[in-house]
């Protein structure tokens, strides 16, 4: 039994959310439907908690557990009666829910529970409600001849009181005179919290690995190396998807030039694929081998049965192989690839070491190693349990829709801006790679040293998004140094928003974040921008290096203290400067290619710029997720590699093609494609170009005589 007296509010919130997700529609509430609001909610939660107790102790499904709930009039102190003949036991449950996590079990509750047990023993079925009577009839033979467990389910942290324990002990002595038939099990808040996380955790993957030309590595751990068919590898991916790479540093990166080449090689030169590919590394928690030959094992294939399988090197290969097999399975059927299988025997630390060692190459970034830190797994689990939001950790995983979750990159930026020390905003303004620095002074350890609550995670991300949207909109209307302040000072502006509006209240569930913070951002951002422009001009001179100003901790500290001090003292904002005339600018695509702003293979996502467009393409895009996906190639005329057909297009040309193929009859004649293709952080190609133009204007002003 788990015991814990800490973090009960979070436990309560997460258990409540999961009770609804698991048991809404499964538990019969027809007899209490006349209740409204909190009255109905409390009764549902009590019943759902009883079902979760059955699920935990009885190891049964949510559907089956819900069918055993008897709570209601004439339940005789038993909220669930669960006859489980396959395991030779019956569970008799009494559940107590508390919104504060303070549920207790007293003498009256104990007597009611024992009384219900005695009524079943004495075959007084007519004294139960209809559902309970049927289950009591099924339960009695198990109580008499097998085993019964009194399950006390409390959304609290305190064991049953001593007097209640005495009542239960008396019942145990009475029922166990002729053998140990009856026992008591107490479940507290920590047990239910643990159970919901167990339910959210996916089942370990089991694979059958058929190895040719294999050998067994001698040593303390089971390890094999050999050749596996491309068809088998593709089937693993089709069955398990991205879960197959759970312990990899990265998920498959999608359609990149390299991955397209892997697929092309598999189809055009299948017999050479083994020679041209590095193969894959698979780790597992357990492994058994069955050889085709006893006398000369290595002369014939062997079949490995592995559980807890994860491919820690070769995710791109597996994804490309699966796509190629899907496109042309007949041509790729003869291909094989090299595989290394290592049994870590459930040693998670060893699994991480193998994953990191297998990926030590220039293409692996520090951010990829960060993805394996336990704090991010905890954030993912708690955000899902409490708020039903996704948290995407690894590079290459599809970024969730904004309303459904966020990514590690987005959260790290949000926490950097939320941090009370303006130095974090300066660090990310210099380079977002600074977010992944570890050590006592590293940004990652400072920001994630203590796991942020799900509420803090989600509120900080929403604030970052709202702030960036307003800053981008403001910057697009400005030129010269004013535009440069918006471009390079966006992180400091967001930091100021947090500190002025509600950083201290971000964990307070009663604080109205929507109205007190998010709703005030559109009006406050222009004011903060003006204050920063004015302070930079007055303190740093007429021609400061604006980018450097926002990348320097000392200047960010000074600017932050000054602006927050003015706001606290009620000092009026300065008058806006005269708007400068916009100069002629270089086209977006050639500019991005010239500056190498994006790496080859950077994922792009199509998002319609107006509601009518999004509605017209919704069904067509939903029919095949690849239609909205592409990757960047540094090509001056055709930089978009479309995932759907693996061909390259110009941004506007591909948008026009998509409109036509979707059958949008009222499509415009022309479009601005660069605003519709977005990178992972939500910036469009056009946004990236505006940032460069702003810098050019800044530098041009600074270099004038």
């Amino acid at each position: 039994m788990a015991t814990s007296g800490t973090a009960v509010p979070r436990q309560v919130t997460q258990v409540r959310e999961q009770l609804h997700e698991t048991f809404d529609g499964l538990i019969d509430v027809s007899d209490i439907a006349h209740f409204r609001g909190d009255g109905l909610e409390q009764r549902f939660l009590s019943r759902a908690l009883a079902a979760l107790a059955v699920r935990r102790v009885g190891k049964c499904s949510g559907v089956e557990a819900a069918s055993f709930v008897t709570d209601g009039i004439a339940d005789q102190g038993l909220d669930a009666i669960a006859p489980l003949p396959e395991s030779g036991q019956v569970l008799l449950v009494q559940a107590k829910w508390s919104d504060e996590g303070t549920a207790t079990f007293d003498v009256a509750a104990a007597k009611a529970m024992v009384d219900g047990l005695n009524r079943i023993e004495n075959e007084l079925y007519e004294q139960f409600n209809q559902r309970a009577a049927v289950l009591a009839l099924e339960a009695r033979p198990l109580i008499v001849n097998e085993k019964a467990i009194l399950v006390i389910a409390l959304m609290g942290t305190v064991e049953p009181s001593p007097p209640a324990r005495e009542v239960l002990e008396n019942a145990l002595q009475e029922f166990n005179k002729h053998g140990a038939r009856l026992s008591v099990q107490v479940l507290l808040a920590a047990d239910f919290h643990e159970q919901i996380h167990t339910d959210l955790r996916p089942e370990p993957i089991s694979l059958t690995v058929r190895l040719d030309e294999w050998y067994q590595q001698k040593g303390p751990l089971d390890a094999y190396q050999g050749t596996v068919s491309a068809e088998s590898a593709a089937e693993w991916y089709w069955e398990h998807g991205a879960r197959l790479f759970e312990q990899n540093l990265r998920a498959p990166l999608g359609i990149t030039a390299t991955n397209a080449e892997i697929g092309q090689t598999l189809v055009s030169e299948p017999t050479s694929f083994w020679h041209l590919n590095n193969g894959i590394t698979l780790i597992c928690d357990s492994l058994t081998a069955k050889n085709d030959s006893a006398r000369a094992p290595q002369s014939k294939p062997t079949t490995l049965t592995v559980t807890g399988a994860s491919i820690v090197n070769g995710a791109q290969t597996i994804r490309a192989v699966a796509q190629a097999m899907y496109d042309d399975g007949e041509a790729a059927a003869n291909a094989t690839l090299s595989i290394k299988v290592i049994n870590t025997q459930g040693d998670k630390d060893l699994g991480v070491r193998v994953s990191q060692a297998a990926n030590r190459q220039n293409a692996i970034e520090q951010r990829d190693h960060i993805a394996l830190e336990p704090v991010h797994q905890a954030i993912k689990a708690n955000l899902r349990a409490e708020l039903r939001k996704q948290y995407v950790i690894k590079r290459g995983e599809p970024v969730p829709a904004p309303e459904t979750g966020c990514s590690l990159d987005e959260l790290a930026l949000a926490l950097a801006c939320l941090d009370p020390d303006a130095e974090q905003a300066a660090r990310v303004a210099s380079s977002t790679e600074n977010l992944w620095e570890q050590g006592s002074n590293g940004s990652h350890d400072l920001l994630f040293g203590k796991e942020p609550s799900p509420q803090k995670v989600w509120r900080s991300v929403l604030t970052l998004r709202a702030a960036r949207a307003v800053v981008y909109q403001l910057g697009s209307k400005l030129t010269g140094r004013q535009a440069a302040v918006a471009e390079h000072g966006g992180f400091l502006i967001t930091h100021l928003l947090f500190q002025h509006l509600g950083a201290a209240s971000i964990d307070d569930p009663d604080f109205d974040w929507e109205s007190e913070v998010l709703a005030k951002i559109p009006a406050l951002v222009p004011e903060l921008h003006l204050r920063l422009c004015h302070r930079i001009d007055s303190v740093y001179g007429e021609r400061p290096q604006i980018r450097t100003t926002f990348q320097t901790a000392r200047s960010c500290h000074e600017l932050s203290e000054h602006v927050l001090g003015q706001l606290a003292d009620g000092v009026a904002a300065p008058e806006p400067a005269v708007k400068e005339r916009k100069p002629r600018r270089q086209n977006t695509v050639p500019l991005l290619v010239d500056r190498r702003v994006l790496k080859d293979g950077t994922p792009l996502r199509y998002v319609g710029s107006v509601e009518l467009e999004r509605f017209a393409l919704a069904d067509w895009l939903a029919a095949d997720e690849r239609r909205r996906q592409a990757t960047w190639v540094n090509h001056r005329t055709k930089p978009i590699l479309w995932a759907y057909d693996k061909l390259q297009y110009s941004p506007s040309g591909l948008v026009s093609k998509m409109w036509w193929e979707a059958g949008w009859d009222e499509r415009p004649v022309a479009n601005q494609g660069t605003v519709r293709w977005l990178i992972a952080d939500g910036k469009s190609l056009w946004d990236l170009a505006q940032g460069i133009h702003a810098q050019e204007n800044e530098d041009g002003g600074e270099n004038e005589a």
Side-chain angles (χ1 to χ4, degrees):
M1 182 187 69
T3 58
S4 173
T6 62
V8 171
R10 175 181 292 185
Q11 290 177 349
V12 171
T13 300
Q14 294 186 6
V15 172
R16 181 203 301 271
E17 290 296 321
Q18 199 58 30
L19 288 178
H20 276 291
E21 185 160 332
T22 303
F23 296 112
D24 276 350
L26 296 182
I27 289 179
D28 184 7
V29 293
S30 58
D31 61 315
I32 55 174
H34 59 284
F35 289 96
R36 293 290 182 270
D38 193 55
L40 177 61
E41 171 75 355
Q42 295 300 310
R43 287 166 175 79
F44 168 81
L45 291 172
S46 179
R47 295 183 179 189
L49 192 68
L52 187 59
V54 172
R55 171 154 170 67
R56 180 173 177 82
V57 179
K59 311 297 182 186
C60 58
S61 69
V63 174
E64 189 176 9
S67 71
F68 295 135
V69 173
T70 57
D71 178 55
I73 297 174
D75 61 23
Q76 305 303 346
L78 302 176
D79 297 327
I81 301 174
L84 302 169
E86 290 186 2
S87 59
Q89 63 181 350
V90 59
L91 310 181
L92 306 176
V93 183
Q94 187 173 131
K96 303 288 186 183
W97 174 265
S98 166
D99 286 342
E100 293 76 33
T102 57
T104 57
F105 189 81
D106 57 17
V107 171
K111 288 181 177 179
M113 197 173 194
V114 172
D115 183 59
L117 170 63
N118 287 325
R119 290 172 192 260
I120 298 176
E121 170 76 7
N122 296 323
E123 302 182 75
L124 301 176
Y125 307 125
E126 72 281 358
Q127 296 181 7
F128 288 88
N129 63 46
Q130 184 176 4
R131 179 187 294 275
V134 173
L135 293 170
L137 181 63
E138 294 179 29
R140 188 177 184 280
L142 295 170
I143 295 174
V144 174
N145 300 307
E146 299 287 348
K147 183 172 68 172
I149 304 176
L150 299 179
V151 181
I152 301 167
L154 305 176
M155 184 46 65
T157 61
V158 180
E159 294 277 349
S161 67
R165 274 289 186 186
E166 185 177 343
V167 173
L168 297 174
E169 288 297 331
N170 291 338
L172 291 175
Q173 292 179 14
E174 179 67 26
F175 271 82
N176 292 336
K177 286 180 179 178
H178 305 291
R181 292 185 298 148
L182 183 66
S183 62
V184 175
Q185 185 167 349
V186 180
L187 301 178
L188 301 178
D191 298 286
F192 294 113
H193 187 251
E194 178 185 72
Q195 184 62 41
I196 65 166
H197 280 275
T198 298
D199 289 344
L200 290 171
R201 204 175 297 130
E203 289 292 321
I205 292 176
S206 296
L207 298 177
T208 299
V209 184
R210 180 77 167 169
L211 287 183
D212 285 303
E213 301 172 356
W214 61 276
Y215 71 89
Q216 183 177 9
Q217 179 68 36
K218 303 299 182 182
L221 300 176
D222 292 333
Y224 289 78
Q225 186 154 354
T227 300
V228 68
S229 70
E231 185 175 10
S232 294
E235 288 174 353
W236 300 341
Y237 182 79
W238 292 335
E239 181 176 357
H240 300 289
R243 287 188 54 221
L244 198 57
F245 316 110
E246 189 67 29
Q247 297 185 62
N248 202 322
L249 302 185
R250 294 182 302 193
L253 297 178
I255 300 299
T256 65
T258 299
N259 289 351
E261 185 178 348
I262 292 174
Q264 182 60 36
T265 301
L266 186 63
V267 173
S268 61
E269 302 178 78
T271 57
S272 300
F273 187 74
W274 184 92
H275 305 84
L276 301 174
N277 186 268
N278 290 331
I280 59 179
T281 300
L282 182 151
I283 63 173
C284 60
D285 295 332
S286 64
L287 177 156
T288 59
K290 184 177 181 181
N291 300 327
D292 283 9
S293 172
R295 297 182 62 184
Q298 288 175 287
S299 66
K300 292 187 178 181
T302 189
T303 301
L304 306 181
T305 301
V306 301
T307 58
S310 182
I311 291 174
V312 298
N313 188 34
Q316 317 312 320
T317 294
I318 290 290
R319 174 65 179 83
V321 165
Q323 186 62 51
M325 288 293 299
Y326 179 83
D327 293 339
D328 193 347
E330 184 176 351
N334 295 323
T336 60
L337 62 154
S338 175
I339 184 172
K340 182 192 295 183
V341 181
I342 301 173
N343 178 12
T344 65
Q345 299 178 357
D347 187 334
K348 299 300 182 185
D349 290 338
L350 177 60
V352 170
R353 288 176 60 198
V354 172
S355 180
Q356 292 176 336
N359 289 284
R360 291 197 186 281
Q361 50 187 290
N362 291 335
I364 296 297
E365 301 174 2
Q366 179 62 23
R367 181 243 187 273
D368 298 321
H369 291 281
I370 290 297
L372 296 179
E373 291 293 324
V375 65
H376 296 295
Q377 303 302 324
I379 292 171
K380 182 174 184 177
N382 288 319
L383 191 65
R384 172 67 178 82
E386 190 164 322
L387 299 181
R388 303 187 191 182
K389 304 295 183 185
Q390 301 176 53
Y391 181 52
V392 170
I393 303 173
K394 299 172 186 174
R395 282 198 306 137
E397 288 185 294
V399 177
E403 68 275 9
T404 65
C406 64
S407 67
L408 165 58
D409 303 76
E410 193 173 28
L411 175 58
L413 285 174
L415 294 181
C417 296
L418 172 64
D419 195 89
D421 189 344
E423 180 176 350
Q424 296 302 324
R427 289 186 183 183
V428 294
S430 296
S431 172
T432 56
E433 291 300 310
N434 289 329
L435 289 168
W436 320 126
E437 182 184 352
Q438 293 179 282
S440 60
N441 239 348
S443 288
H444 177 268
D445 288 7
L446 290 172
L447 299 177
F448 293 99
K450 180 182 178 182
E451 179 200 343
S453 68
Q455 186 162 252
K456 184 175 184 178
V457 167
W458 194 238
R459 284 178 168 181
S460 64
V461 167
L462 290 179
T463 305
L464 174 72
R465 290 173 179 172
R468 296 181 82 175
V470 178
V471 170
Y472 291 150
Q473 185 178 22
L474 176 67
S476 67
K477 300 175 182 178
L478 302 171
T479 59
R481 292 166 2 86
Q482 294 178 19
V485 169
E487 171 66 17
H488 300 298
F491 293 123
L492 186 61
I493 290 174
T494 306
H495 168 80
L496 295 172
L497 286 169
F498 273 121
Q499 306 312 310
H500 179 60
L501 293 178
S505 303
I506 196 166
D507 272 320
D508 182 358
D510 297 325
F511 185 76
D512 188 350
W513 197 263
E514 176 70 34
S515 61
E516 295 299 324
V517 177
L518 299 182
K520 296 179 179 179
I521 289 175
L524 188 54
V525 165
E527 179 183 341
L528 293 173
H529 176 265
L530 279 175
R531 291 182 185 273
L532 288 173
C533 288
H534 186 267
R535 183 62 176 176
I536 289 171
D537 286 347
S538 60
V539 174
Y540 297 93
E542 296 182 355
R543 304 192 185 282
Q545 284 283 346
I546 291 178
R547 176 169 53 182
T548 304
T549 299
F550 289 113
Q551 293 176 347
T552 305
R554 180 183 297 177
S555 55
C556 281
H557 280 141
E558 195 280 329
L559 288 170
S560 177
E561 291 175 5
H562 174 78
V563 172
L564 292 175
Q566 281 193 329
L567 291 170
D569 295 339
V571 178
E575 291 296 321
V578 178
K579 186 176 179 181
E580 302 175 26
R581 182 179 178 183
K582 290 187 178 181
R584 186 173 181 179
R585 297 174 172 181
Q586 185 181 1
N587 289 338
T588 296
V589 170
L591 179 63
L592 296 180
V593 173
D594 283 343
R595 302 301 177 87
R596 296 287 157 169
V597 174
L598 299 175
K599 297 178 182 178
D600 285 341
T602 299
L604 300 173
R605 184 176 179 83
Y606 167 80
V607 177
S609 63
V610 296
E611 186 63 30
L612 180 62
E613 176 185 355
R614 292 191 287 271
F615 178 78
L617 270 69
D619 292 343
W620 182 77
L621 291 172
D624 192 325
E625 183 62 22
R626 294 177 301 167
R627 289 171 173 167
R628 69 174 81 246
Q629 297 173 351
T631 50
W632 175 265
V633 179
N634 278 295
H635 188 283
R636 294 184 181 280
T637 57
K638 297 181 178 180
I640 309 293
L641 177 60
W642 196 20
Y644 185 60
D645 63 7
K646 304 180 188 64
L647 299 178
Q648 291 180 221
Y649 299 88
S650 69
S652 298
L654 180 52
V655 170
S656 294
K657 179 179 176 65
M658 293 167 68
W659 287 354
W660 181 81
E661 292 195 2
W664 186 16
D665 294 334
E666 299 179 2
R667 61 186 180 274
V669 176
N671 69 82
Q672 188 178 357
T674 53
V675 304
R676 292 171 166 85
W677 290 103
L678 278 57
I679 59 176
D681 67 0
K683 286 186 180 180
S684 68
L685 300 177
W686 187 84
D687 290 331
L688 296 174
Q690 300 317 298
I692 298 173
H693 290 314
Q695 179 59 42
E696 287 177 340
N697 290 333
E698 174 191 338
D699 292 342
E702 292 163 356
N703 294 330
E704 290 176 1

